């Protein structure tokens, strides 16, 4: 519904009351700001009552103003530039207690991720990782860190794990050119979504590989492509997006894969400990 909201606002003006037309016009011209306003604040800015704003949301088919605001937020997160994000964040973040404001937001994202998690999808992704011949992991831009972390640990748990590097588009295809049936492609992307990740997943699916996504919501372009999709809440924090909940979800995936291969990973980590000790990978504990 969120994808149609601006269209409804622009096409339905003739049916709106005078107050509703004022609200609609403001949202159309300032959707980046309106998406993060309370009903009271929006009403005050445009010169109508809070109740008029609430009734307007109901008129558009939402069960309340918060639902309409959420739809706006989902729609615009991938449209906002970094400059717009900073402007919006001024009203979202408590400057007097910044660290608690950010950590509190992350805690809410973690809880929302738990509430959204579909265990069947989670277990299916774990099965796919364990059973795939090769695993290709793609995460561009800010999702690069998530892809690298997932790849690092999966590589310790099984062979055939490939983290596709964030390079020119043509080089991405060179890295996945041999992908095919029996392989698994995992795409990781959060707003602003990477077009390279979307294109690479479509290529992998065309080549016969199974596809999975770790993203933020059903509004993500990866959601419509991937056979298995896990959602982790990633709300906007100033000019960046919080990746705390996505990282926690990836932690759970890694642990679940490890539990499935308990006997194998025990031997693997015994060998690794000997190698790490021999080559002084870590500082000696006695220091």
């Amino acid at each position: 519904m969120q994808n149609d909201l601006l269209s409804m606002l622009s096409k339905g003006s003739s049916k709106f009351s005078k107050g509703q037309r004022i609200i609609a016009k403001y949202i159309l011209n300032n959707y980046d700001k309106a998406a993060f306003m309370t009903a009271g604040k929006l009403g005050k800015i445009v010169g109508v009552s809070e109740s008029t704003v609430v009734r307007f949301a109901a008129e558009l088919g939402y069960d309340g103003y918060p639902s309409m605001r959420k739809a706006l937020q989902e729609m615009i997160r991938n449209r906002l530039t970094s400059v717009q994000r900073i402007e919006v964040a001024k009203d979202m973040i408590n400057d007097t207690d910044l660290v608690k404001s950010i950590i509190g937001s992350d805690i809410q994202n973690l809880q929302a991720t738990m509430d959204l998690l579909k265990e069947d999808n989670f277990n299916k992704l774990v099965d796919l990782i364990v059973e795939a011949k090769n695993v290709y992991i793609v995460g561009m831009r800010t999702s690069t860190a998530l892809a690298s972390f997932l790849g690092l640990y999966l590589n310790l748990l099984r062979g055939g794990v490939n983290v596709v590097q964030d390079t020119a588009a043509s080089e991405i295809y060179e890295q996945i050119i041999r992908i095919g049936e029996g392989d698994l492609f995992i795409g990781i992307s959060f707003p602003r979504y990477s077009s390279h990740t979307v294109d690479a997943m479509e290529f992998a699916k065309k080549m016969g590989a199974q596809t999975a996504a770790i993203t933020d919501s059903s509004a993500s372009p990866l959601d419509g492509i991937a056979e298995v999709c896990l959602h982790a809440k990633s709300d906007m924090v100033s000019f960046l997006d919080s990746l705390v909940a996505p990282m926690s979800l990836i932690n759970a995936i890694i642990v679940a894969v490890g539990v499935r291969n308990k006997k194998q990973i025990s031997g693997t980590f015994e060998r690794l400990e000997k190698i790490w000790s021999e080559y002084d990978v870590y500082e000696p504990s006695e220091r």
Side-chain angles (χ1 to χ4, degrees):
M1 191 174 195
Q2 62 262 29
N3 294 325
D4 301 324
L5 179 52
L6 294 185
S7 177
M8 285 194 295
L9 292 175
S10 59
K11 292 180 180 178
S13 58
S14 60
K15 302 177 183 178
F16 297 152
S17 66
K18 182 180 177 181
Q20 290 174 342
R21 284 197 295 271
I22 294 172
I23 299 170
K25 183 178 179 180
Y26 181 83
I27 294 175
L28 286 168
N29 293 332
N30 303 277
Y31 57 82
D32 55 323
K33 296 183 179 67
F36 300 94
M37 291 180 181
T38 63
K41 184 170 183 179
L42 177 56
K44 185 177 181 180
I45 286 176
V46 301
V48 301
S49 66
E50 180 177 347
S51 60
T52 299
V53 176
V54 173
R55 287 196 299 270
F56 181 57
E59 179 75 20
L60 293 175
Y62 295 96
D63 57 11
Y65 177 76
S67 296
M68 186 183 83
R69 186 174 65 174
K70 182 179 179 181
L72 261 179
Q73 291 173 357
E74 293 289 347
M75 180 192 70
I76 69 172
R77 282 185 68 210
N78 197 41
R79 300 185 185 190
L80 295 182
T81 65
S82 295
V83 174
Q84 287 175 313
R85 284 169 173 242
I86 293 171
E87 288 300 314
V88 168
K90 291 178 181 178
D91 294 326
M92 295 174 59
I93 297 175
N94 181 0
D95 290 336
T96 60
D97 206 343
L98 183 62
V99 65
K100 287 187 177 179
S101 177
I102 299 301
I103 293 175
S105 175
D106 284 335
I107 292 171
Q108 291 177 8
N109 287 336
L110 286 166
Q111 184 61 57
T113 299
M114 286 183 63
D115 295 341
L116 288 170
L117 183 65
K118 295 180 179 178
E119 289 193 27
D120 288 346
N121 285 355
F122 179 86
N123 293 331
K124 185 173 182 180
L125 176 55
V126 173
D127 290 342
L128 290 174
I129 292 172
V130 171
E131 297 166 3
K133 289 193 299 185
N134 300 289
V135 178
Y136 294 83
I137 304 169
V138 176
M140 303 296 171
R141 309 297 294 173
T142 55
S143 296
T144 300
L146 298 173
S148 296
F149 186 83
L150 177 60
L152 172 68
Y153 278 94
L154 288 187
N155 190 53
L156 298 177
L157 301 176
R158 53 153 296 157
V161 176
N162 307 275
V163 178
V164 178
Q165 300 302 312
D166 189 355
T167 57
S170 59
E171 294 178 16
I172 293 171
Y173 293 108
E174 291 170 8
Q175 294 176 67
I176 62 174
I177 189 65
R178 293 183 179 85
I179 196 169
E181 292 185 12
D183 294 332
L184 172 65
F185 179 101
I186 302 176
I188 306 175
S189 192
F190 292 83
R192 302 158 72 186
Y193 306 110
S194 165
S195 58
H196 288 171
T197 303
V198 175
D199 293 342
M201 179 177 282
E202 289 180 332
F203 174 82
K205 192 167 187 176
K206 183 179 179 181
M207 298 298 288
Q210 293 180 296
T211 54
I214 300 172
T215 188
D216 66 315
S217 71
S218 57
S220 168
L222 294 181
D223 195 270
I225 306 171
E227 297 161 57
V228 181
C229 195
L230 297 183
H231 296 157
K233 195 69 175 173
S234 172
D235 274 343
M236 188 176 69
V237 181
S238 188
F239 55 87
L240 55 82
D241 284 287
S242 169
L243 297 178
V244 172
M247 180 63 81
S248 184
L249 179 60
I250 286 172
N251 284 343
I253 293 168
I254 294 167
V255 172
V257 172
V259 169
R260 288 282 302 274
N261 288 330
K262 278 190 288 190
K263 292 182 179 179
Q264 180 180 332
I265 66 170
S266 293
T268 298
F269 277 98
E270 284 178 7
R271 293 194 299 273
L272 283 171
E273 286 293 344
K274 292 178 182 178
I275 293 170
W276 291 336
S277 176
E278 181 179 351
Y279 291 97
D280 297 325
V281 173
Y282 297 110
E283 282 289 295
S285 57
E286 57 268 22
R287 288 189 187 179

